[in-house]
Amino acid sequence: MTNMTNNQDIIEQQRPAEAHLSANPADAAADPEKIQEKSSFEDDASKSSQPKEGAVTDAPDGDDNLFGGGKTYRTMGLWDTMLVLATNQVGLGILTLPAILKTLGLVPGIIAIVGLGVVSWYTAFELLQFYRAHPQVVNMVDMARIVGGRPLELIVGVGLLFKVMMTCGSATVTLSIAFNTLSNHSTCTVAFAAVGAICCWILCLPRTFKFVAQVGLPSTISIIVAVFIVIISLGVAGHPRGEIPGFDKEVVIVGNPSFREGVSACLKVCYAYAGNVGFVSYMAEMKNPSRDFPKALTMLQIFSVILYILTAVTIYALSGQAVRSPALGSAPDVPAKVAYAIALPAILSTGMVFGHTAIKYLYVVALRATKTTHRATENSVRSWGLWVASASIFWVLAFVLASAIPIFDSILSISSATFVAWFTFGISGVFWYHRNWQEKFARKNIPLAIVNGLIILQALFMNGVGMWASVMGLLDVYNTPGKLEGSFTCADNSIF
C-alpha cells in the first residue's frame, strides 16, 4: 500500500495541473474550490521541484495531504485565513514594541519594525513557494524532511516544539501578569500561570484551525481596544503608571544603547513577527492556499506594520522613559486593570493558535507512528485520545517553562534568539536554496541568492549573539536583589 501511494504521488507531481483537472472533472465539479496548487504565482523552480526520498506521502486518495480525507479539515477560505493569521501575529509581540523605541530611539525603532516586517513577509512567501512544489506537507517539519531527510526532520521537529512552547510560555506569563494586576496579587504567580495554562489547554481541544479562525476576530479586536485604552488613559492622565503629573518626559529620536541592549531590542521586534512557524499548518487546512494565502499574508503584514508603528510611537511618546513592557502596564492603575481584562481574549488566543500548531504536529507524529494517518480526521475514541494526550503533554511542559522563566521580556528574547531566528527567517532561506540549487547563480536568481544568504547569516547571528544578550539580561534580573525570587515563584511579576 505504501509503494502504491508513493507511486501515485510521483505521478501526480509529474502531471501538469491542467491534465490533473481534466482527469478528474467530477471532483472539480463537486468542489470548485478544490486546491489547485499550480498558479500564476508559482515560479519555475517550484514547477520543477521533486520531493526527496524522505518526503511524506500519507495523503488519502483524491487529496494532497492527510487532512483532506473523510471529514475534511481543508475548510478555510480567504476570510478564515486572514483571521487565523491575525490571531497568530497580532498579540503578545505588540506589547513590547513601545519599550523597544525607548532603547533604540524613535527613528531606528520604526525602521526595525518596518524592515523586519518586510523580511518576514518575504520569508513567509517562500514557505508558500515550497508548499506549492510539495503540497503533501502538513507542517514545516515535513518540509525539513524533504530538504534534509530524517536527521533534519528530527532537528526541526524538536525546534518547532520548543519554539512554540516558548511562545505559549510567554502567553502563560502574560496571563499571570494580567491576573496579578487584576487581583492585586491575591495568590502565587505560579498558581496564576497554572490557571492560564489550563484555560489555553481547553481552547486547544477543538481539532481544526477553522475553530481558531472563528475566535480570531474578537481576539484581534480585544488587543486593539486594550491598546487604545492605554493610549487614551495616558493622554488624559498626562503621566504613566508610577509617575506624577508633570513628570519630565523624555523621547529619544536616536538612542544610544549598548550592543547587548540593541540586540535584545531587535530580538523583541523579531518576536512580533514570529508567526511563520504555523503558516504551513494553516496552508494544509486551506481550500486553495495558492490563491488565498498570498492575499491574506499581504493584508496581514500591511495591517500589522501600521498597527505596530501607531501603537509603539503613541505609547512611547506619551510615556517617555517611563514606558513599560508589556505596554499595558504603562497606563495608570485603573486603566491598566481594564486594559488587561479586555486583552485577556487576545492573550488566550495567542496560546491557543500557537499551541494548536504544536499539538497538531504531535498528533500527526503519533498517527504516523501508529500507522493510522487515514484516521486523522475521524471522530473516534482513538483519534480524540491521541489529540487530548498531545494537548495535555504540551501544555504541562509549557507551564513548567513559564514558571521557570516568569519574566515576559526575557522569555521573548530567549525565544527569538533560539528559534524565531530560524523559523521566521533562516529556514526559508534554506528552502529557497533547495528549490533553486541548480540555478542559484543564474542571472535572474543572483539577487535572491544574495538576499537568502543574508537571511541565513542573520539567523546565525541571532542564534549566537542574541542568545548571549538574552541570557545575560535574564541573569541580571535574577542577580538583582528584590527583583525576583527565582523560578516557580510566588513573587508579583506584574512589575515587569
Side-chain angles (χ1 to χ4, degrees):
M1 184 66 182
T2 302
N3 291 335
M4 292 177 64
T5 306
N6 289 341
N7 292 336
Q8 180 183 355
D9 288 337
I10 293 172
I11 293 171
E12 288 299 320
Q13 290 180 5
Q14 292 175 340
R15 185 183 301 165
E18 294 80 1
H20 178 72
L21 287 173
S22 62
N24 295 279
D27 290 346
D31 188 356
E33 292 198 88
K34 188 69 176 176
I35 185 170
Q36 311 293 330
E37 290 306 333
K38 304 296 182 183
S39 77
S40 59
F41 288 99
E42 187 177 40
D43 59 14
D44 293 338
S46 295
K47 293 176 183 177
S48 61
S49 295
Q50 294 295 331
K52 285 191 173 184
E53 183 178 351
V56 292
T57 53
D58 46 17
D61 292 340
D63 206 279
D64 294 298
N65 70 50
L66 61 88
F67 292 131
K71 181 184 177 181
T72 182
Y73 283 5
R74 309 197 70 176
T75 57
M76 292 200 300
L78 176 61
W79 177 247
D80 295 321
T81 306
M82 289 171 57
L83 292 177
V84 169
L85 293 180
T87 305
N88 175 296
Q89 185 155 297
V90 182
L92 297 181
I94 196 174
L95 301 181
T96 192
L97 295 180
I100 289 168
L101 299 189
K102 172 186 172 182
T103 302
L104 297 178
L106 195 63
V107 173
I110 292 174
I111 292 174
I113 292 172
V114 175
L116 289 170
V118 172
V119 175
S120 68
W121 177 90
Y122 170 74
T123 54
F125 186 75
E126 276 302 321
L127 293 179
L128 177 64
Q129 292 289 69
F130 197 97
Y131 179 88
R132 285 168 171 158
H134 307 278
Q136 75 273 20
V137 301
V138 295
N139 50 53
M140 198 177 284
V141 181
D142 286 351
M143 290 183 171
R145 183 174 180 178
I146 291 172
V147 172
R150 182 68 172 170
L152 188 60
E153 177 191 15
L154 292 174
I155 293 171
V156 174
V158 172
L160 181 145
L161 289 176
F162 274 102
K163 187 276 171 202
V164 177
M165 203 175 297
M166 294 286 275
T167 302
C168 291
S170 68
T172 306
V173 169
T174 309
L175 286 169
S176 70
I177 294 172
F179 294 148
N180 271 322
T181 302
L182 293 172
S183 67
N184 295 320
H185 187 48
S186 61
T187 189
C188 281
T189 292
V190 69
F192 280 140
V195 172
I198 292 172
C199 291
C200 291
W201 172 79
I202 293 173
L203 287 172
C204 286
L205 290 181
R207 287 160 56 183
T208 68
F209 281 113
K210 183 79 170 181
F211 172 79
V212 177
Q214 291 169 348
V215 300
L217 185 59
S219 71
T220 303
I221 292 174
S222 73
I223 193 67
I224 294 175
V225 171
V227 166
F228 272 97
I229 288 175
V230 173
I231 293 172
I232 293 171
S233 67
L234 287 170
V236 172
H239 63 90
R241 184 184 184 191
E243 301 292 339
I244 60 174
F247 86 108
D248 188 15
K249 181 169 54 181
E250 179 183 356
V251 175
V252 178
I253 302 301
V254 178
N256 186 29
S258 66
F259 180 71
R260 194 180 82 187
E261 290 171 341
V263 170
S264 295
C266 289
L267 288 175
K268 291 165 191 170
V269 179
C270 292
Y271 188 87
Y273 299 106
N276 291 29
V277 68
F279 287 176
V280 181
S281 299
Y282 308 155
M283 294 176 202
E285 294 191 27
M286 293 176 64
K287 295 176 183 176
N288 194 330
S290 277
R291 182 192 65 194
D292 292 337
F293 188 81
K295 301 174 187 176
L297 175 66
T298 301
M299 287 185 279
L300 168 75
Q301 291 302 86
I302 293 173
F303 170 72
S304 297
V305 169
I306 293 174
L307 179 63
Y308 286 173
I309 291 176
L310 290 176
T311 299
V313 171
T314 307
I315 293 180
Y316 176 54
L318 292 172
S319 301
Q321 72 276 18
V323 69
R324 296 178 180 234
S325 180
L328 302 184
S330 298
D333 289 347
V334 174
K337 290 186 177 182
V338 175
Y340 269 120
I342 292 177
L344 284 176
I347 302 169
L348 288 167
S349 294
T350 297
M352 173 188 65
V353 68
F354 280 97
H356 197 287
T357 299
I359 293 164
K360 185 149 286 182
Y361 167 65
L362 290 173
Y363 177 64
V364 170
V365 169
L367 289 172
R368 288 171 177 163
T370 56
K371 302 186 186 305
T372 55
T373 53
H374 58 287
R375 301 179 181 273
T377 62
E378 70 178 19
N379 287 320
S380 64
V381 174
R382 181 189 184 95
S383 60
W384 273 106
L386 287 175
W387 180 264
V388 174
S390 300
S392 302
I393 292 171
F394 174 80
W395 276 106
V396 167
L397 294 176
F399 163 72
V400 170
L401 178 65
S403 299
I405 313 177
I407 309 168
F408 179 75
D409 274 359
S410 295
I411 200 169
L412 259 60
S413 294
I414 293 174
S415 173
S416 296
T418 49
F419 304 114
V420 173
W422 283 106
F423 285 102
T424 298
F425 301 108
I427 199 167
S428 292
V430 174
F431 291 159
W432 183 90
Y433 273 102
H434 177 265
R435 290 192 305 108
N436 297 278
W437 187 252
Q438 300 299 327
E439 299 180 344
K440 58 184 178 298
F441 294 129
R443 177 173 296 181
K444 66 176 182 178
N445 285 337
I446 288 178
L448 285 179
I450 295 172
V451 167
N452 284 279
L454 291 175
I455 289 173
I456 294 172
L457 290 177
Q458 173 192 346
L460 292 171
F461 176 82
M462 290 172 64
N463 274 155
V465 179
M467 177 57 73
W468 166 78
S470 303
V471 173
M472 292 301 294
L474 178 61
L475 292 177
D476 285 347
V477 174
Y478 278 123
N479 293 332
T480 301
K483 274 207 167 184
L484 196 69
E485 294 177 0
S487 300
F488 295 92
T489 178
C490 281
D492 183 2
N493 66 351
S494 63
I495 63 175
F496 292 94

